[in-house]
Amino acid sequence: MNIQMVDLKGQYMRIKSSVDQAVASVIDSCAFINGPQVKTFCQNLQKYLNVKHVIPCANGTDALQISLMALGLKPGDEVIVPAFTYVATAEVIGLLGLTPVMVDVDERTFNVTIDNIRRGLTPRTKAIVPVHLFGQSCDMQQIMAFAKEHGLYVVEDNAQALGGWSTIKETDGEDGTVGEYRRMNGTIGDIGCTSFFPSKNLGCYGDGGAIMTNNDDLAEKLRMIANHGQRIKYHHSVIGCNSRLDTIQAAILDVKLQHLDEYCALRYKAAQYYTDKLKEFDPTEKYFQTPLEAGDGGHVYHQYTLIIRDNHSTGASQESKFVSVRDELKNYLSEHGIPSMVYYPLPLQEQEAFKDIAVPAEKLDVAKRLSLSVLSLPMHTELKEEVQDFIIEKIKEFFIKSQYDV
Ligand SMILES: *Cc1c(COP(=O)(O)O)cnc(C)c1O
């Protein structure tokens, strides 16, 4: 059995003829830069997300950077970010001379809560960058209400949750009735960012990214910044950058976008299978915690992440025990040909790059604890139940055989 964290090849084989045709047609036309497929893909993504503007760019990190540039923030302005995320979220804040204010996350959802965000608020706060980590939506209802109350921008880092959604209650018109609406992740904040890195839920065959907004003024600024700060060719009104989505990538993405709902459903089904079987084995969460689905937001399981417990402690320090049980399980799985990954082994507050610029708003204990106890299992659209059975069997075996068993 050849088990992979992500099976890009298997996924490609199912859509090979459409993808090959799409790529060949771009090469045939030689419209490599800003070819018609870029526009078509963006229009189709706009429709899919029900958002007014999709601005293509080179990758997810650029999407975040361009978004923050468009907000016109000044050095010293503070931006609230979760301490438990991929580095890009906070890196662009530092790069622009802004101050990342790191807040803790919720132990079960891996996401920032409104209480965490509140602890990061100061008179200098200008924006919040919530991250829909591992495919789970943050509580956008509360975050948007908080942002409105305090006059803050919200830039969603939706690199891991494209295709997911949040249910938002909104008051309609004059009669004040409250309706519930499904809003796609990335379209709820002032701006949303995503990445088409190959392993993301909608991945291309190289680098790619996009920015979403319903705000016409911001859309114009974002487009301009992504294109050397020009609206008219060779007339540059602001300092921008050169960040484009390749035509070949756009053509591939346009094929794959038609499968995104199916991909999300396959991930969801695989996640349910893991959770059902793992809970059957460990109903009291003695050994590990399976992912919690918070609220009614659509979880799209970019990652399937367990928290490995330290109930087997025999007197060694909590911290080293966390490391050893999680890491021993990881090694055990690896010995049986099962890959697993630690997303993320270092919380942001411990990254050297941020030591002089970031402000930790609170103790960040949860982010720290998670970095020592999380383990992500293989998760992709091609995962077969017999492969999952094997993975689950080996996890059980590890805990049953484990010398730490109580
Ligand atoms: C992947 C990712 C990014 C960056 O995307 P790139 O396309 O690799 O630049 C940003 N934030 C999060 C949370 C991500 O997972």
Side-chain angles (χ1 to χ4, degrees):
M1 232 184 267
N2 173 25
I3 306 175
Q4 302 168 72
M5 280 303 283
V6 181
D7 182 5
L8 296 178
K9 184 68 188 264
Q11 194 187 55
Y12 166 60
M13 292 315 286
R14 289 201 285 131
I15 51 171
K16 186 177 186 310
S17 64
S18 323
V19 168
D20 290 358
Q21 212 179 335
V23 171
S25 87
V26 175
I27 297 174
D28 206 48
S29 71
C30 290
F32 299 118
I33 303 295
N34 292 334
Q37 289 87 345
V38 178
K39 196 164 182 190
T40 307
F41 166 64
C42 288
Q43 283 169 346
N44 287 334
L45 187 57
Q46 271 164 219
K47 248 181 264 158
Y48 175 83
L49 295 172
N50 189 22
V51 68
K52 268 175 101 175
H53 307 276
V54 167
I55 296 112
C57 64
N59 55 65
T61 309
D62 275 11
L64 288 161
Q65 182 187 324
I66 293 162
S67 298
L68 290 171
M69 287 169 82
L71 299 180
L73 307 183
K74 308 268 174 315
D77 284 351
E78 294 180 358
V79 181
I80 295 175
V81 280
F84 193 64
T85 179
Y86 182 57
V87 66
T89 319
E91 188 179 27
V92 296
I93 300 170
L95 189 70
L96 296 173
L98 308 169
T99 302
V101 175
M102 295 170 180
V103 298
D104 218 348
V105 296
D106 182 84
E107 181 113 44
R108 292 216 63 140
T109 65
F110 306 113
N111 282 336
V112 283
T113 66
I114 203 68
D115 291 328
N116 297 127
I117 292 172
R118 191 172 284 119
R119 286 193 277 273
L121 185 72
T122 79
R124 292 173 301 282
T125 309
K126 291 285 160 26
I128 310 168
V129 186
V131 182
H132 305 301
L133 203 73
F134 302 152
Q136 168 137 271
S137 316
C138 294
D139 189 335
M140 291 307 291
Q141 177 93 46
Q142 285 197 11
I143 291 175
M144 294 312 292
F146 183 87
K148 195 169 171 197
E149 185 187 338
H150 297 281
L152 311 175
Y153 289 110
V154 175
V155 176
E156 290 172 76
D157 182 341
N158 192 32
Q160 301 190 0
L162 197 68
W165 69 85
S166 299
T167 304
I168 303 283
K169 288 194 189 72
E170 277 168 20
T171 310
D172 294 309
E174 280 133 44
D175 62 354
T177 53
V178 176
E180 288 199 344
Y181 301 93
R182 181 183 283 194
R183 298 265 183 265
M184 300 304 282
N185 289 339
T187 71
I188 307 162
D190 299 281
I191 305 179
C193 299
T194 203
S195 163
F196 304 123
F197 186 82
S199 62
K200 301 284 156 106
N201 287 30
L202 179 62
C204 60
Y205 294 179
D207 275 307
I211 309 166
M212 283 78 75
T213 185
N214 281 308
N215 179 315
D216 298 339
D217 293 337
L218 281 175
E220 193 179 351
K221 280 191 191 129
L222 291 162
R223 263 183 225 289
M224 212 162 73
I225 292 167
N227 183 25
H228 295 293
Q230 65 189 343
R231 200 172 298 137
I232 304 160
K233 206 164 170 64
Y234 305 123
H235 293 69
H236 306 270
S237 16
V238 295
I239 298 291
C241 50
N242 174 29
S243 189
R244 290 185 287 243
L245 179 65
D246 270 17
T247 312
I248 289 181
Q249 301 305 340
I252 295 166
L253 285 165
D254 205 34
V255 172
K256 291 189 73 179
L257 178 60
Q258 297 166 35
H259 298 271
L260 182 55
D261 281 339
E262 175 202 338
Y263 290 163
C264 291
L266 286 166
R267 285 175 179 274
Y268 194 83
K269 186 159 169 271
Q272 294 314 301
Y273 194 78
Y274 271 138
T275 296
D276 287 350
K277 296 279 151 115
L278 288 170
K279 272 198 166 155
E280 222 172 270
F281 168 65
D282 186 23
T284 58
E285 299 190 340
K286 182 167 103 176
Y287 301 116
F288 49 74
Q289 183 179 302
T290 53
L292 173 86
E293 285 176 26
D296 47 8
H299 199 317
V300 291
Y301 285 99
H302 176 60
Q303 300 295 344
Y304 185 87
T305 304
L306 297 175
I307 298 175
I308 309 303
R309 291 242 185 269
D310 180 36
N311 288 354
H312 324 282
S313 186
T314 50
S317 83
Q318 282 289 97
E319 199 163 291
S320 69
K321 266 324 206 183
F322 267 126
V323 172
S324 82
V325 177
R326 190 266 314 268
D327 290 355
E328 277 180 21
L329 172 60
K330 189 175 191 314
N331 291 340
Y332 187 80
L333 295 176
S334 167
E335 280 162 21
H336 291 88
I338 301 166
S340 61
M341 293 290 282
V342 174
Y343 302 116
Y344 297 95
L346 263 192
L348 291 188
Q349 74 269 20
E350 291 185 10
Q351 301 286 355
E352 202 188 337
F354 295 108
K355 71 178 191 301
D356 297 327
I357 56 160
V359 178
E362 49 182 331
K363 269 195 75 199
L364 308 174
D365 288 338
V366 178
K368 172 70 187 167
R369 219 157 44 232
L370 289 175
S371 70
L372 296 169
S373 58
V374 286
L375 192 65
S376 298
L377 301 180
M379 170 51 71
H380 52 80
T381 56
E382 314 306 306
L383 206 50
K384 299 278 176 298
E385 281 183 3
E386 58 262 33
V387 172
Q388 291 190 276
D389 285 337
F390 179 71
I391 296 168
I392 292 157
E393 209 39 55
K394 291 297 157 192
I395 292 172
K396 287 185 192 172
E397 211 174 84
F398 169 81
F399 284 107
I400 290 165
K401 280 208 259 179
S402 168
Q403 56 178 308
Y404 303 111
D405 197 15
V406 284

